[in-house]
């Protein structure tokens, strides 16, 4: 007996992580989640870790540990859109292959590869026509706290094309009141989605937990995106100023409810 | 008599020329300018020279004031840290390229202009920096008009044109004095209006077109004008002259170079 491996693939923004999250929620087995090809700190890895503390998330360098896992473990392997499915690692892997694909998306490499097809997010015709974007850019933002109004503005600029054509943006951002949000945008959807992460408020200095951003698109001006992100991050003094106020507010609320 | 009221040109020469041509076609006999000749855009000296050459009565805008006196912003000037960084960058750039005689001209501009029962200001009669938003409390809006002793208050600053009629207003004032009984007085005011001229060079209505207003002193009719122009010319100049490329991107979408405050109850502390 070996652990069950479920490999999930599909185009960017089709809903692979959403499908995996649903599967994790519906069952109580021991789970491992990993996302090969996405670097050491992909946003999805952090999000799954925050939302499902019972799931063990593994970074790419921890892949060799898979062979030593208990037999009753289920491993979810999210394969990013840009990973070649004919790689020996994937073609030799004994697993159940799931492709999450947009409805009416036409024939694709994922259909040939998969054992099971799952209907995913609908793309607009224009968005589906360009499911092979050329740029995948991301950066870790651990320790950074964003001015909330600036964050809204920069997300609007990035997703509406101020720094290149964006097909997908996802990120985890810390804000001054100590909360962290998962933010998700797929071209063709009407708006950017915000989801507060179920983690404790961080009100003591720079947050020592993972956050980051990933952008998928074409002709991305990475230097300008980076500068805009930096211009929107609060200074040490500003973070301390806000946190002091929120700590006082939290204390006041605790006194009132006691 | 037909008046044209223009505001918030923000160093956008192509937009100003298009509006001046439109004013000519509409046969307006007099132009008033509500300030913000400079700031964000690539042609501050040229815009000021054009306004001066036409002898247009002009109020001092918040950017005109800041470039003379230095930045001393209230929180409503910059609703986000990003807007503040961009605003400061644009201020520094303008400060560097501005000719001394242009600076002198901006320094001597008055805060208000008058013409009969009309008053012209940039932001509000209180401050070049105060926003008279269309959703502002009715009493506060009326107070701003009454303080000028005019029937129509023309303003800019918000970059979105509007007309607000304050009609059939009945005010009750209670006077309390120590040792005396309260006294009440009632007032009614005739129709008062606030007319916002929008923005020539930095629109915020979702399209790049310039806006201004026409006012007919005989019929009291107000017409909001929206004028298309070659905004790409300004976008190219923004980049060529070393201003942030995102300014060009925002201008092309009618998004304003940096977002502004939108709290109608905020009282500017500048």
């Amino acid at each position: 007996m070996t652990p069950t491996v479920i490999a999930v693939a599909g185009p960017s923004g089709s809903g692979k992580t959403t499908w995996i999250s649903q599967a994790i929620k519906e069952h109580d087995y021991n789970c491992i989640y990993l996302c090969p090809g996405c670097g050491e700190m992909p946003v999805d890895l952090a999000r799954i870790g925050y939302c499902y503390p019972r799931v063990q998330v593994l970074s790419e360098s921890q892949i060799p540990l898979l062979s030593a896992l208990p037999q009753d473990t289920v491993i979810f392997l999210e394969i990013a859109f840009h990973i070649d499915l004919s790689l020996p690692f994937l073609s030799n892997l004994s697993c159940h292959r799931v492709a999450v694909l947009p409805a009416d998306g036409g024939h694709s490499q994922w259909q040939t590869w998969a054992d099971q097809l799952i209907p995913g997010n609908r793309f607009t015709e224009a968005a589906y026509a360009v499911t092979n974007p050329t740029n995948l850019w991301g950066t870790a933002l651990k320790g950074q706290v964003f001015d909330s109004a600036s964050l809204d503005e920069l997300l609007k600029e990035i997703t509406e094309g101020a720094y290149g054509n964006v097909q997908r943006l996802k990120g985890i951002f810390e804000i001054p009141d100590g909360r962290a949000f998962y933010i998700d945008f797929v071209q063709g959807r009407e708006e950017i989605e915000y989801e507060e992460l179920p983690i404790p408020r961080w009100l003591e200095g720079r947050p020592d937990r993972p956050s980051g951003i990933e952008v998928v698109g074409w002709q991305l001006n990475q230097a300008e995106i980076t500068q805009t992100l930096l211009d929107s991050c609060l200074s040490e003094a500003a973070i301390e100023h806000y946190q002091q106020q929120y700590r006082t507010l939290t204390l006041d609320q605790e006194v009132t409810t006691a | 008599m037909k008046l044209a009221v223009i505001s918030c040109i923000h160093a956008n020469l192509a937009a100003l020329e298009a509006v001046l041509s439109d004013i000519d076609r509409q046969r307006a006999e007099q132009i008033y300018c509500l300030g913000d000749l400079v700031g964000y855009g690539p042609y501050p000296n040229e815009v000021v020279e054009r306004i001066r050459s036409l002898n247009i009565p002009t109020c001092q805008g918040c950017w005109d004031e800041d470039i003379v006196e230095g930045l001393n912003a209230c929180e409503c000037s910059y609703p986000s840290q990003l807007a503040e960084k961009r605003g400061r960058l644009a201020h520094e750039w303008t400060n560097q390229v501005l000719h001394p005689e242009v600076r002198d001209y901006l320094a001597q501009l008055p805060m208000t202009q008058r013409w009969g029962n009309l008053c012209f200001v940039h932001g509000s009669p209180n401050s070049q920096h105060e926003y008279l938003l269309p959703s502002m409390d009715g009493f506060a809006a009326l107070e701003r008009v009454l303080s000028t002793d005019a029937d129509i208050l023309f303003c800019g600053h918000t970059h979105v044109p509007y007309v607000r009629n304050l009609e059939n207003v009945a005010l009750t004032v209670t006077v309390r004095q120590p040792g005396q009984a309260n006294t009440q007085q009632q007032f009614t005011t005739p129709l008062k209006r606030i007319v916002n001229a929008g923005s020539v060079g930095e629109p915020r209505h979702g399209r790049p077109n310039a806006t201004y207003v026409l006012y007919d002193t005989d019929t009291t009719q107000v017409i909001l004008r929206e004028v298309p122009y070659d905004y790409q010319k300004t976008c190219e100049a923004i980049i060529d002259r070393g201003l942030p490329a995102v300014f060009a991107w925002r201008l092309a979408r009618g998004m304003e170079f940096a977002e502004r405050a939108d709290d109608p109850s905020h009282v500017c502390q500048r």
Side-chain angles (χ1 to χ4, degrees):
Chain A
M1 283 280 286
T2 53
T4 306
V5 180
I6 301 173
V8 184
S12 171
S14 65
K16 298 184 289 294
T17 318
T18 304
W19 185 83
I20 293 172
S21 302
Q22 200 59 37
I24 291 170
K25 243 188 282 184
E26 285 170 5
H27 301 283
D28 58 358
Y29 34 60
N30 294 325
C31 290
I32 303 279
Y33 171 82
L34 71 158
C35 189
C38 290
E40 286 302 300
M41 210 314 286
V43 168
D44 288 334
L45 208 66
R47 182 190 171 206
I48 293 284
Y50 286 145
C51 293
Y52 308 103
R54 70 184 174 86
V55 176
Q56 194 183 347
V57 291
L58 297 184
S59 65
E60 230 170 308
S61 58
Q62 293 172 301
I63 287 177
L65 299 177
L66 291 179
S67 55
L69 290 171
Q71 290 174 0
D72 61 347
T73 306
V74 176
I75 301 166
F76 287 100
L77 195 66
E78 180 170 340
I79 300 164
F81 73 95
H82 62 288
I83 300 290
D84 183 357
L85 295 174
S86 62
L87 281 174
F89 164 68
L90 285 173
S91 50
N92 299 333
L93 192 67
S94 169
C95 62
H96 180 65
R97 297 169 176 183
V98 176
V100 183
L101 299 172
D104 307 324
H107 192 76
S108 66
Q109 54 163 339
W110 293 292
Q111 282 168 315
T112 317
W113 170 85
D115 301 320
Q116 183 186 359
L117 299 179
I118 301 289
N121 291 327
R122 283 180 180 277
F123 286 4
T124 61
E125 205 174 311
Y128 193 76
V130 288
T131 45
N132 290 306
T134 55
N135 286 164
L136 167 61
W137 175 83
T139 186
L141 295 168
K142 187 176 178 177
Q144 298 291 0
V145 178
F146 282 80
D147 168 51
S148 305
S150 300
L151 179 60
D152 287 341
E153 208 55 30
L154 85 87
L155 290 171
K156 185 180 167 73
E157 287 181 353
I158 295 174
T159 56
E160 291 187 12
Y163 311 106
N165 302 306
V166 173
Q167 190 264 342
R168 183 83 202 276
L169 177 152
K170 55 188 166 186
I172 292 173
F173 298 91
E174 303 272 358
I175 63 169
D177 68 2
R179 291 182 295 168
F181 281 82
Y182 171 73
I183 287 171
D184 191 3
F185 166 80
V186 181
Q187 191 186 66
R189 273 198 218 149
E190 279 185 15
E191 50 193 36
I192 302 168
E193 290 179 3
Y194 292 70
E195 175 195 342
E196 185 182 342
L197 291 167
I199 49 179
R201 286 185 186 232
W202 195 289
L203 291 174
E204 294 289 346
R206 289 190 178 276
D208 186 19
R209 60 190 179 192
S211 60
I213 181 172
E214 289 173 24
V215 185
V216 177
W218 308 263
Q219 297 168 320
L220 298 178
N221 189 331
Q222 298 172 11
E224 282 198 25
I225 298 176
T226 305
Q227 188 57 53
T228 309
L229 284 165
L230 288 172
D231 286 345
S232 305
C233 291
L234 294 173
S235 67
E236 203 86 32
I239 294 171
E240 172 53 26
H241 173 74
Y242 281 117
Q243 288 181 343
Q244 203 172 10
Q245 292 186 43
Y246 283 111
R247 282 196 299 265
T248 311
L249 265 176
T250 312
L251 274 177
D252 288 348
Q253 280 167 356
E254 282 169 5
V255 170
T256 311
T257 51
Chain B
M1 184 179 183
K2 201 186 260 186
L3 303 181
V5 184
I6 62 177
S7 187
C8 306
I9 303 161
H10 286 286
N12 186 340
L13 190 61
L16 175 62
E17 294 296 357
V19 164
L20 291 173
S21 299
D22 193 70
I23 289 171
D24 217 31
R25 282 193 295 275
Q26 300 300 317
R27 300 181 190 285
E29 294 153 77
Q30 175 70 53
I31 305 174
Y32 279 87
C33 176
L34 309 181
D36 269 6
L37 307 183
V38 303
Y40 288 119
Y43 294 111
N45 294 308
E46 294 83 347
V47 162
V48 171
E49 286 310 322
R50 189 77 171 110
I51 293 289
R52 285 181 77 180
S53 70
L54 295 171
N55 284 321
I56 296 172
T58 300
C59 307
Q60 190 182 57
C62 55
W63 274 82
D64 310 324
E65 182 192 19
D66 284 354
I67 212 71
V68 173
E69 296 188 8
L71 279 174
N72 177 20
C74 167
E75 65 181 60
C76 66
S77 302
Y78 302 117
S80 73
Q81 181 175 291
L82 192 57
E84 180 171 1
K85 290 201 173 177
R86 289 174 178 171
R88 288 183 184 280
L89 202 148
H91 176 89
E92 286 310 317
W93 183 91
T94 306
N95 206 23
Q96 280 175 13
V97 301
L98 215 58
H99 300 157
E101 67 276 14
V102 169
R103 197 184 301 275
D104 291 345
Y105 170 79
L106 296 175
Q108 56 79 46
L109 288 174
M111 200 169 147
T112 60
Q113 295 277 355
R114 287 300 299 252
W115 193 89
N117 66 338
L118 314 178
C119 181
F120 305 88
V121 300
H122 175 71
S124 91
N126 291 350
S127 158
Q128 292 96 315
H129 290 259
E130 184 176 67
Y131 289 99
L132 297 187
L133 294 168
S135 51
M136 184 183 199
D137 172 70
F139 180 80
L142 182 67
E143 187 277 327
R144 300 301 190 272
V145 187
L146 290 176
S147 72
T148 65
D149 206 23
D151 290 325
I152 304 185
L153 177 63
F154 288 91
C155 63
H157 195 38
T158 70
H159 293 204
V160 182
Y162 70 86
V163 178
R164 185 173 184 184
N165 289 336
L166 302 157
E167 47 195 331
N168 301 323
V169 177
L171 296 173
T172 303
V173 179
T174 303
V175 182
R176 293 193 179 99
Q177 288 182 304
Q180 292 181 28
N182 291 351
T183 57
Q184 272 198 344
Q185 286 185 310
Q186 293 192 329
F187 303 90
T188 54
T189 63
L191 171 67
K192 301 284 181 184
R193 292 168 115 179
I194 296 177
V195 178
N196 191 302
S199 171
V200 169
E202 196 193 349
R204 194 178 200 269
H205 49 75
R207 295 175 297 280
N209 303 337
T211 59
Y212 76 99
V213 298
L214 290 169
Y215 176 69
D216 190 317
T217 57
D218 301 323
T219 63
T220 72
Q221 187 189 24
V222 178
I223 298 172
L224 305 179
R225 298 282 303 165
E226 184 172 333
V227 184
Y229 72 100
D230 187 1
Y231 62 86
Q232 290 295 357
K233 216 165 149 180
T234 306
C235 292
E236 284 164 20
I238 284 171
I239 294 164
D240 290 348
R241 295 196 165 200
L243 284 158
V246 74
F247 287 3
W249 183 83
R250 294 183 71 102
L251 178 69
R253 281 153 188 80
M255 283 172 69
E256 202 170 1
F257 297 122
E259 80 274 32
R260 60 140 173 80
D262 55 7
D263 175 5
S265 63
H266 174 78
V267 178
C268 181
Q269 303 298 314
R270 174 74 158 77

